[in-house]
Amino acid sequence: MNTRKNIAAEKKRCGSHNCAQAILHTYADIAGIDEDTAMNIANSFGAGMGNMEGTCGGLVGAGMVLGMVNKDKAKSMKQMREIMTKFQERNGATQCKLLKGVGTKVVLRECPYCVADAAIVTTVLYRATLAPIAELRKFTASLLTPTTKSNAASTTRNTTIPRNNISIFYLQQYDEN
């Protein structure tokens, strides 16, 4: 099944993308950027900011998507805290070297699975809070361009995901593993 989770994880697994690139590239359409730009923006954020000492690149990529979609620092930071918390609960760490077992020799999570987890949380958050914003932007843009016909005005989004609470239940709902 070609979900964003699987697409992002495969990009990392095959070695064509670092973790941040795998997420940002997979969500480039949502972030409103082209795929080449996504690759260039995220190219130095793999391997825990290039040295495994920093935050998992999958989480960094998710933060880039939030920033591009929200265009609101406070809102993006609040949602990023939520993503970090859910990722920490699921994987036991957010720092690359701890996830990879550097120094402990205990691997908590392999990179493709970290990327998949970051994609799951990003997708759930997108469906709950970011999609309506993106649809509103499309609709507003269509009003400014009289020749453009927009489906955003007639699109309804039924979501059962609470806007401020992404529970593990919802994460599991999107997790095929």
Side-chain angles (χ1 to χ4, degrees), residues 34-148:
D34 64 82
E35 293 177 347
D36 287 339
T37 301
M39 291 295 285
N40 289 327
I41 289 171
N43 68 13
S44 65
F45 291 100
M49 305 284 195
N51 62 12
M52 289 194 211
E53 296 292 325
T55 301
C56 167
L59 291 170
V60 173
M64 291 177 189
V65 172
L66 289 176
M68 294 298 293
V69 173
N70 284 330
K71 299 186 183 350
D72 179 310
K73 180 180 175 182
K75 185 174 186 177
S76 294
M77 288 177 68
K78 180 181 178 190
Q79 290 172 339
M80 192 65 217
R81 278 191 300 274
E82 194 171 346
I83 287 175
M84 296 282 286
T85 299
K86 296 303 175 190
F87 189 93
Q88 172 81 32
E89 289 170 2
R90 188 174 176 99
N91 296 301
T94 59
Q95 188 179 17
C96 183
K97 77 176 185 178
L98 298 176
L99 290 162
K100 293 182 87 154
V102 175
T104 65
K105 297 192 185 337
V106 177
V107 177
L108 298 177
R109 197 82 160 143
E110 297 284 339
C111 289
Y113 298 112
C114 287
V115 168
D117 291 343
I120 291 168
V121 179
T122 303
T123 297
V124 170
L125 185 63
Y126 176 75
R127 288 179 180 167
T129 61
L130 301 179
I133 293 168
E135 288 177 17
L136 179 61
R137 284 197 182 124
K138 284 183 202 173
F139 176 67
T140 304
S142 74
L143 294 175
L144 299 174
T145 311
T147 58
T148 303

Side-chain angles (χ1 to χ4, degrees), residues 8-22:
E10 179 57 22
K11 287 175 182 178
K12 176 56 187 165
R13 189 202 62 72
C14 76
S16 63
H17 297 65
N18 69 39
C19 297
Q21 287 174 323

